[in-house]
Amino acid sequence: MALGLALVAMGANAEELKSPNGNVALNFELNNAGRPTYSVVCNGISAIKPSGMGLKFGDNTDFISGMKVDGIEHSTFDETWTPVWGEENAIRNHYNEMLVHLSKPEQNRKLDIRFRVFDDGVGFRYEFPMQATLNYFVITDECTEFAMNGDITAYWIPGDYDTQEYDYTCSRLSEIRGLLSGAVTENLSQTTFSTTGVQTALMLKDDNGLYINLHEAALVNYPCMHLNLDDSNFVFTSWLTPDPNGDKAYMQSPCTTPWRTVIVSPDARDILASRITLNLNEPCKIADTSWIKPCKYMGVWWEMITGMSDWSYTNDLPNIHLGQTDYSKLKPHGRHGANNENVKRYIDYAAKHGFDGVLVEGWNQGWEDWYGNFKDEVFDFVSPYPDFDVEAIHQYAKQKGVYMIMHHETSSSVRNYERHLDAAYKFMNDHGYPAVKSGYVGSIIPKGQNHYNQWQVNHYLYAVQKAADYKIMVNAHEAVRPTGLCRTYPNLIGNESARGTEYQAFGGSKPSHTTILQFTRLVGGPMDYTPGVFENNISKYNPSNNSWVNTTLANQLSLYVTMYSPLQMAADLPQTYDRFLDAFQFIKDVAVDWDHSWYLEAEPMQYVTIARKAKGKDEWFVGGTNGAEPRTSEISLSFLPKGKYVAKIYQDGKDAHYKTNPQAYTIKEIKVTEKTKLKTWTAAGGGYAISIVPAK
């Protein structure tokens, strides 16, 4: 509810706005050239130095000079809202707001800048009122700056218009230029743009111990924002993903940009606990959300990722013509993973161990020439291969109490997907598929578009909105990084949009990777990271693949708590889980939806320890994910209500190491109370997981 509103005429150009608790302060003013500027202070320490704001337009005009303040409105807002699913069952949205009314007299144009200051940071956006002199317009550049307090530490991946699937680098700002080319590893589609460009969410730490996170919220009808660094002055400037003409955004007033966010705290745990990104999005637009349900699933996937089996059905033809190629006359190559017998095996295993769903990739025709050919009609999303009986599999799964999860790989042929979308979603309804994993591998078709420009950003949201019409949950891979839109459309139940577990079979990821994603990728929303890989040596699945999974088995268990998602996969093969059924028990037990979360330990790229209470149950789970160096985790169980409990602890064995002894783990049960303090040693690339229930 709004608690106060005031409109004041500005006699001076400077204005301060503080957070409800007074710890964060935003300062706004016009500089001598009439450019809007802002700065952010946390606990008296500068987080963002005075930084320029504004935009440039296609008619060679701008909002970066000659501006005048016409008035400022102040208000306060405080509410608590209930998410459909999440890390807690209630989220407080409490901020002080300042709406600055600006004009550019020489052009007779107006601009509003809306600031919201929370106890843990700041959000601001540009707003364009309806006006005769600015109806339809093209933004050619957004000139928002984020001026850092010196040569501070950053945790970054290279700026790229087409992928976020990179390992993170920790360095000083001055070192980014020299390290960036080496950080650009191979991807099926990638377009870097600068020797100092990086992606959001960007995690930073200054020499005062202040943690700063830069991102955006509510990315709608606008290109994704990267950050380009002036490494002489240590100033980041917003860098929008362009369209094929080099333009950034086509706008029609009244309209707004996405929010630019600065989350800031002297405690790294507060970055993980922040809900600024969600709070800056609009409330849920889906009236009936009863069909949106978090789930745990298995799938015919890892065997293809490792090269043990294939998505395709035949080697007979060099190319496929949908609707014309008769697969019944082609010879199967015998490596097709999505066959009836194999899929039923996964369904049986999922049912036996209490999983909700089974994903099947490679079920549909077209995988023989799906990638790299700029082929428009690549899939139709309704035609199965001869060895996959859609309806029979649906009925078999239904009898077992398991539902099927659809797979829509688009091969980035976006027009083709939109043409087929209604038919594909109806096909899902008709065959009992309540959720879809979509994919956007490869360069966008039509050629010249990028994964993160305005046109493509609009497509991702269109697919989610259309899915809601059919009561379908969406888990989009290779899509734009999330910005909290899952609050508005909670059927967006997951995304990949970062370097996921699959890369462990593509040469491996750094052991620190899952101790930085919580500070970066997960700031915008949950990630379908697909954890639970127990076999490190990929050559055991595919002798020609010498990749190694750079974690311990206990680390994999910890990810079910520390890598939040309402959609969690047990990614490894059934036969592997059968070798480690005692450890597999944690994956079976752990919840996917939560009443409360507590962030117990955190340091970017070093360690993350989180405790959570299962929604509606007296069950608690703890995950401690460690990075590259061994350490001892020390936590208190003070989050527990007063009482007696049994804790089951899954931890690294004494000689565990992600390279030399990754499958060494121990399991023990101990009695605990809310006064218990635990010390747990974690290996390099290691971790631990704990399940806690009331003592009988």
Side-chain angles (χ1 to χ4, degrees):
M1 57 182 294
L3 301 180
L5 180 67
L7 177 64
V8 296
M10 287 293 292
N13 284 335
E15 188 81 4
E16 181 182 65
L17 181 68
K18 288 190 174 182
S19 61
N21 68 5
N23 290 344
V24 178
L26 175 133
N27 293 279
F28 169 83
E29 65 179 319
L30 294 181
N31 67 14
N32 293 334
R35 181 178 186 179
T37 68
Y38 77 101
S39 60
V40 178
V41 173
C42 177
N43 293 337
I45 300 172
S46 173
I48 305 292
K49 295 166 60 178
S51 301
M53 308 178 76
L55 306 106
K56 293 181 179 179
F57 305 108
D59 60 358
N60 294 318
T61 61
D62 63 62
F63 279 155
I64 57 174
S65 64
M67 305 297 290
K68 174 178 173 291
V69 176
D70 295 331
I72 294 181
E73 297 179 50
H74 287 273
S75 61
T76 296
F77 188 81
D78 192 0
E79 68 167 359
T80 298
W81 58 278
T82 302
V84 175
W85 44 259
E87 296 180 73
E88 58 268 297
N89 59 22
I91 296 175
R92 189 181 186 189
N93 186 14
H94 188 199
Y95 58 82
N96 291 330
E97 180 173 281
M98 178 168 67
L99 179 60
V100 181
H101 299 285
L102 299 166
S103 62
K104 189 160 186 175
E106 66 180 76
Q107 295 169 4
N108 192 29
R109 287 180 173 176
K110 297 183 180 296
L111 171 71
D112 294 337
I113 304 179
R114 190 180 300 270
F115 297 94
R116 290 179 180 171
V117 183
F118 302 80
D119 289 342
D120 52 356
V122 171
F124 60 88
R125 71 180 182 188
Y126 303 100
E127 301 184 357
F128 307 93
M130 179 77 81
Q131 51 195 298
T133 54
L134 197 67
N135 287 317
Y136 298 91
F137 57 100
V138 178
I139 294 175
T140 56
D141 272 306
E142 183 187 319
C143 306
T144 305
E145 296 177 349
F146 303 85
M148 299 292 103
N149 190 24
D151 189 14
I152 66 176
T153 299
Y155 308 84
W156 55 273
I157 55 175
D160 197 299
Y161 297 152
D162 283 299
T163 186
Q164 306 115 4
E165 295 179 352
Y166 294 121
D167 256 322
Y168 279 81
T169 299
C170 173
S171 76
R172 294 284 182 170
L173 297 181
S174 60
E175 297 172 317
I176 291 177
R177 183 184 297 272
L179 295 172
L180 191 138
S181 62
V184 179
T185 50
E186 184 179 359
N187 196 280
L188 294 180
S189 178
Q190 54 192 156
T191 310
T192 56
F193 57 83
S194 167
T195 56
T196 57
V198 297
Q199 301 194 38
T200 70
L202 176 66
M203 191 65 207
L204 303 142
K205 183 180 181 181
D206 75 7
D207 293 342
N208 296 307
L210 197 63
Y211 297 88
I212 305 163
N213 186 280
L214 306 180
H215 193 34
E216 60 183 326
L219 175 59
V220 176
N221 192 32
Y222 204 77
C224 172
M225 180 183 73
H226 298 75
L227 298 170
N228 200 43
L229 176 65
D230 172 356
D231 52 2
S232 296
N233 299 299
F234 307 120
V235 177
F236 288 104
T237 301
S238 58
W239 186 287
L240 304 181
T241 307
D243 71 4
N245 296 324
D247 294 324
K248 305 307 191 308
Y250 294 83
M251 310 291 281
Q252 179 184 356
S253 63
C255 57
T256 68
T257 69
W259 296 90
R260 280 60 189 99
T261 60
V262 181
I263 305 173
V264 59
S265 176
D267 189 334
R269 296 174 299 174
D270 292 339
I271 307 298
L272 306 184
S274 177
R275 300 294 175 254
I276 284 179
T277 311
L278 290 174
N279 281 331
L280 289 172
N281 277 267
E282 295 184 19
C284 179
K285 290 188 175 182
I286 300 173
D288 173 19
T289 60
S290 61
W291 51 274
I292 302 173
K293 297 177 180 179
C295 77
K296 206 180 298 179
Y297 72 104
M298 307 186 77
V300 183
W301 174 74
W302 189 241
E303 61 182 78
M304 280 94 82
I305 292 294
T306 60
M308 182 179 175
S309 62
D310 289 345
W311 286 270
S312 65
Y313 176 79
T314 182
N315 293 328
D316 275 7
L317 293 179
N319 62 68
I320 299 298
H321 295 271
L322 289 179
Q324 300 177 36
T325 300
D326 186 352
Y327 278 92
S328 67
K329 296 179 180 179
L330 302 178
K331 179 183 177 181
H333 54 46
R335 289 175 47 83
H336 183 224
N339 64 77
N340 291 330
E341 182 180 355
N342 193 35
V343 171
K344 287 180 179 179
R345 183 171 68 94
Y346 278 86
I347 292 171
D348 289 343
Y349 201 83
K352 177 181 178 181
H353 293 283
F355 284 77
D356 303 296
V358 171
L359 165 75
V360 178
E361 295 198 10
W363 68 276
N364 56 320
Q365 298 176 13
W367 286 92
E368 287 73 18
D369 63 347
W370 72 283
Y371 164 74
N373 300 305
F374 277 96
K375 180 182 178 182
D376 189 31
E377 288 276 356
V378 60
F379 296 114
D380 67 9
F381 313 101
V382 297
S383 298
Y385 281 125
D387 59 350
F388 185 78
D389 188 326
V390 175
E391 185 56 25
I393 289 294
H394 161 49
Q395 294 300 331
Y396 186 84
K398 186 176 181 180
Q399 292 169 8
K400 297 282 186 173
V402 174
Y403 61 74
M404 301 302 296
I405 298 175
M406 179 56 71
H407 182 235
H408 288 167
E409 175 54 60
T410 68
S411 191
S412 287
S413 183
V414 177
R415 293 191 311 159
N416 180 61
Y417 193 36
E418 291 190 354
R419 282 197 301 267
H420 290 282
L421 206 51
D422 279 292
Y425 285 162
K426 185 178 185 301
F427 183 85
M428 289 177 60
N429 285 168
D430 291 344
H431 295 90
Y433 286 77
V436 60
K437 173 185 175 181
S438 57
Y440 295 87
V441 173
S443 298
I444 298 294
I445 304 171
K447 198 168 187 176
Q449 301 288 348
N450 295 113
H451 278 75
Y452 312 137
N453 63 17
Q454 183 187 29
W455 183 83
Q456 186 64 16
V457 164
N458 288 347
H459 162 78
Y460 298 131
L461 183 54
Y462 171 77
V464 171
Q465 292 169 327
K466 178 68 71 172
D469 293 341
Y470 289 87
K471 295 187 176 181
I472 288 171
M473 298 176 284
V474 175
N475 167 28
H477 282 226
E478 295 90 27
V480 70
R481 51 188 170 272
T483 58
L485 282 169
C486 57
R487 177 189 180 185
T488 312
Y489 300 98
N491 66 315
L492 181 57
I493 200 166
N495 285 103
E496 181 195 39
S497 305
R499 187 182 179 96
T501 297
E502 61 187 353
Y503 277 84
Q504 298 285 16
F506 301 160
S509 296
K510 294 178 181 177
S512 60
H513 189 56
T514 49
T515 58
I516 185 59
L517 289 173
Q518 296 88 347
F519 294 95
T520 51
R521 164 61 185 79
L522 272 76
V523 168
M527 180 178 179
D528 182 32
Y529 186 72
T530 63
V533 175
F534 284 5
E535 178 53 69
N536 297 73
N537 186 354
I538 302 302
S539 69
K540 290 186 177 181
Y541 294 155
N542 174 10
S544 64
N545 186 343
N546 294 316
S547 297
W548 188 267
V549 178
N550 292 320
T551 75
T552 68
L553 191 150
N555 174 286
Q556 289 289 316
L557 297 181
S558 75
L559 301 179
Y560 288 90
V561 183
T562 62
M563 290 289 295
Y564 170 66
S565 178
L567 182 73
Q568 289 283 22
M569 185 181 197
D572 217 326
L573 308 186
Q575 58 265 39
T576 298
Y577 288 132
D578 279 341
R579 293 163 49 206
F580 304 99
L581 285 175
D582 54 352
F584 186 55
Q585 187 64 43
F586 182 82
I587 300 178
K588 294 168 60 175
D589 291 341
V590 69
V592 289
D593 201 14
W594 308 100
D595 274 335
H596 302 289
S597 296
W598 298 268
Y599 304 89
L600 307 179
E601 300 177 302
E603 184 63 29
M605 285 188 85
Q606 294 185 35
Y607 54 85
V608 173
T609 307
I610 299 174
R612 306 189 195 272
K613 179 185 178 297
K615 182 167 284 188
K617 297 180 180 180
D618 288 334
E619 297 175 358
W620 293 260
F621 298 88
V622 180
T625 303
N626 191 37
E629 299 297 327
R631 70 178 293 269
T632 298
S633 168
E634 300 185 27
I635 64 170
S636 167
L637 302 188
S638 58
F639 55 84
L640 293 171
K642 186 176 181 180
K644 296 180 179 180
Y645 303 87
V646 175
K648 191 173 185 179
I649 304 173
Y650 305 74
Q651 64 187 94
D652 292 318
K654 63 178 182 179
D655 298 321
H657 188 282
Y658 73 92
K659 275 290 188 186
T660 59
N661 198 15
Q663 293 172 335
Y665 64 92
T666 64
I667 303 173
K668 64 181 179 181
E669 288 190 0
I670 62 172
K671 295 179 180 179
V672 299
T673 72
E674 75 283 359
K675 297 179 180 179
T676 300
K677 299 183 187 302
L678 294 178
K679 289 186 178 182
T680 308
W681 179 80
T682 55
Y688 65 95
I690 308 174
S691 60
I692 304 173
V693 296
K696 294 182 180 179

